[in-house]
Amino acid sequence: ESANEFRFQKDTLTQKLKETESRNQTLEAQLSDLEQRLESSQLERDTYRNNLCSLLELLDSKIFELTELRDMLAKLMEGS
Amino acid sequence: ESANEFRFQKDTLTQKLKETESRNQTLEAQLSDLEQRLESSQLERDTYRNNLCSLLELLDSKIFELTELRDMLAKLMEGS
Amino acid sequence: ESANEFRFQKDTLTQKLKETESRNQTLEAQLSDLEQRLESSQLERDTYRNNLCSLLELLDSKIFELTELRDMLAKLMEGS
Amino acid sequence: ESANEFRFQKDTLTQKLKETESRNQTLEAQLSDLEQRLESSQLERDTYRNNLCSLLELLDSKIFELTELRDMLAKLMEGS
């Protein structure tokens, strides 16, 4: 091969490498962005779950209080 | 005693008896009225009690359904 | 009429009056008893009604609290 | 530059390009995996939300039915 041919191949490879590295950076940025979205989505879901958990406990106490009311009504009727 | 005296006593007794019998009728009417009021009050109370009993059963079923809802919420949260 | 006849009528009337007065006392006792039962039944009913009234207010507050819980759940779902 | 030097540079570049392309494929695979996880997480969240939405509607109807029961109790007490 001639020196020109080698130079041409080198330039082509250098160009290809540059493009691939650029594509690489884009992918890494996308990956980092997606990871952050997944993480923030996970945090959101945890907060959501904790709030739901509090609501479930609140619902439990309301059902308990309605059951107490029901027992008071039953006792009132028994006594009459 | 003279015949006049006897007649006077008889008239007095007859008058007294008349008044007492009249008072008697009044009392019997009051008693009958009160008995009817007591009976109708008892019937009312029974109806009231039956209605309350239906409401208690309805409350029971509502508490049961809220408990089912609570269990569905708990199951939903477990699965997530 | 003879004195004997008068005496007989007087005794009959006196006996009748005694019986009627006795019946009278019985009726007055029954009436008084019934009045007391009616009054105590009324007092009982008032107490019963007041207790039911308290239960109704309690039920109101439980429904209000369940509605608050419902709104919290709706707000939580809106935000997600 | 000599032909040897060019050949050396070409080999180096070829090696670098290979590595970069390999890293690229890894990143694309990671990205694709993450996208699928995000998508499935989104689907899950939608299902979750729909289930919660059904529970909210159920809670609404239970509150409505408790309010009807409350009104029946109030009406019963008014009538007495």
Side-chain angles (χ1 to χ4, degrees):
Chain A
E1 291 167 294
S2 68
N4 268 351
E5 211 173 319
F6 272 125
R7 185 180 302 274
F8 174 74
Q9 284 176 2
K10 187 191 137 189
D11 289 350
T12 304
L13 280 167
T14 303
Q15 181 58 26
K16 191 88 198 289
L17 183 59
K18 227 172 119 185
E19 283 165 22
T20 308
E21 278 171 346
S22 164
R23 167 79 181 136
N24 224 315
Q25 277 173 358
T26 304
L27 286 173
E28 270 166 352
Q30 286 178 354
L31 204 59
S32 164
D33 173 60
L34 228 56
E35 272 161 356
Q36 268 178 330
R37 278 168 58 194
L38 210 69
E39 193 183 346
S40 104
S41 158
Q42 191 56 50
L43 282 175
E44 236 177 85
R45 168 178 286 193
D46 288 349
T47 307
Y48 198 70
R49 227 184 107 78
N50 288 341
N51 287 334
L52 265 188
C53 204
S54 304
L55 285 185
L56 184 62
E57 277 170 31
L58 201 56
L59 184 55
D60 276 344
S61 69
K62 290 312 134 197
I63 291 173
F64 179 76
E65 288 159 17
L66 275 175
T67 307
E68 282 185 322
L69 189 158
R70 178 239 169 267
D71 291 344
M72 284 187 267
L73 183 55
K75 205 161 278 178
L76 185 60
M77 288 172 63
E78 251 172 63
S80 74
Chain B
E1 290 167 297
S2 69
N4 269 351
E5 212 173 320
F6 273 124
R7 188 181 300 274
F8 174 74
Q9 284 176 2
K10 187 189 135 190
D11 288 351
T12 305
L13 280 167
T14 303
Q15 181 59 28
K16 191 89 197 288
L17 183 60
K18 226 172 121 187
E19 283 166 22
T20 307
E21 279 171 346
S22 165
R23 166 84 181 132
N24 222 314
Q25 277 172 359
T26 306
L27 286 172
E28 268 166 351
Q30 285 178 353
L31 204 59
S32 164
D33 174 59
L34 228 55
E35 271 161 356
Q36 267 178 330
R37 276 169 59 196
L38 210 69
E39 193 183 345
S40 105
S41 158
Q42 191 56 50
L43 280 175
E44 236 179 83
R45 169 177 284 193
D46 288 349
T47 307
Y48 198 70
R49 226 184 107 79
N50 287 341
N51 286 334
L52 266 188
C53 205
S54 303
L55 284 185
L56 184 61
E57 276 170 32
L58 200 57
L59 184 55
D60 276 344
S61 70
K62 290 312 136 199
I63 290 173
F64 179 76
E65 287 159 17
L66 275 175
T67 307
E68 281 185 322
L69 188 158
R70 178 240 169 267
D71 291 345
M72 283 188 265
L73 183 54
K75 205 162 278 180
L76 184 60
M77 287 170 65
E78 250 171 64
S80 73
Chain C
E1 292 164 295
S2 69
N4 268 350
E5 211 172 320
F6 272 125
R7 186 180 302 273
F8 175 74
Q9 285 176 0
K10 187 189 136 190
D11 288 351
T12 305
L13 280 167
T14 302
Q15 182 59 27
K16 191 90 198 288
L17 183 60
K18 224 171 122 188
E19 283 165 22
T20 309
E21 279 172 345
S22 165
R23 166 83 180 132
N24 224 315
Q25 277 172 358
T26 305
L27 286 173
E28 268 165 353
Q30 286 177 353
L31 204 59
S32 164
D33 174 61
L34 227 54
E35 271 161 356
Q36 267 178 331
R37 277 168 59 196
L38 211 69
E39 194 183 343
S40 106
S41 158
Q42 191 57 50
L43 281 174
E44 234 179 85
R45 169 178 284 193
D46 289 349
T47 307
Y48 198 71
R49 227 185 106 79
N50 287 341
N51 287 335
L52 266 188
C53 205
S54 303
L55 285 185
L56 183 62
E57 277 169 32
L58 200 57
L59 183 56
D60 275 345
S61 70
K62 290 312 135 200
I63 291 173
F64 179 76
E65 287 159 17
L66 274 175
T67 307
E68 282 185 323
L69 188 158
R70 178 241 170 267
D71 291 345
M72 284 187 267
L73 182 56
K75 205 162 277 178
L76 184 60
M77 287 170 65
E78 250 171 63
S80 73
Chain D
E1 293 168 293
S2 69
N4 269 350
E5 211 175 320
F6 271 126
R7 185 178 305 269
F8 175 73
Q9 285 178 0
K10 187 189 135 190
D11 288 352
T12 304
L13 281 167
T14 303
Q15 182 57 30
K16 190 88 197 289
L17 182 59
K18 225 171 120 188
E19 282 165 22
T20 308
E21 279 171 346
S22 163
R23 166 83 180 133
N24 222 314
Q25 276 172 359
T26 305
L27 286 173
E28 269 166 352
Q30 285 178 353
L31 205 60
S32 164
D33 173 60
L34 227 55
E35 272 162 357
Q36 267 179 330
R37 278 169 57 195
L38 211 69
E39 193 184 345
S40 105
S41 159
Q42 191 56 49
L43 280 175
E44 236 178 85
R45 167 177 286 193
D46 289 350
T47 307
Y48 198 71
R49 227 185 107 78
N50 288 342
N51 287 335
L52 267 187
C53 206
S54 303
L55 285 185
L56 184 62
E57 277 170 32
L58 201 56
L59 183 55
D60 275 345
S61 69
K62 289 312 135 198
I63 292 174
F64 179 76
E65 287 159 17
L66 275 175
T67 306
E68 281 185 322
L69 188 158
R70 178 239 168 268
D71 290 345
M72 283 187 267
L73 182 56
K75 205 161 278 178
L76 185 59
M77 288 171 63
E78 252 171 63
S80 75

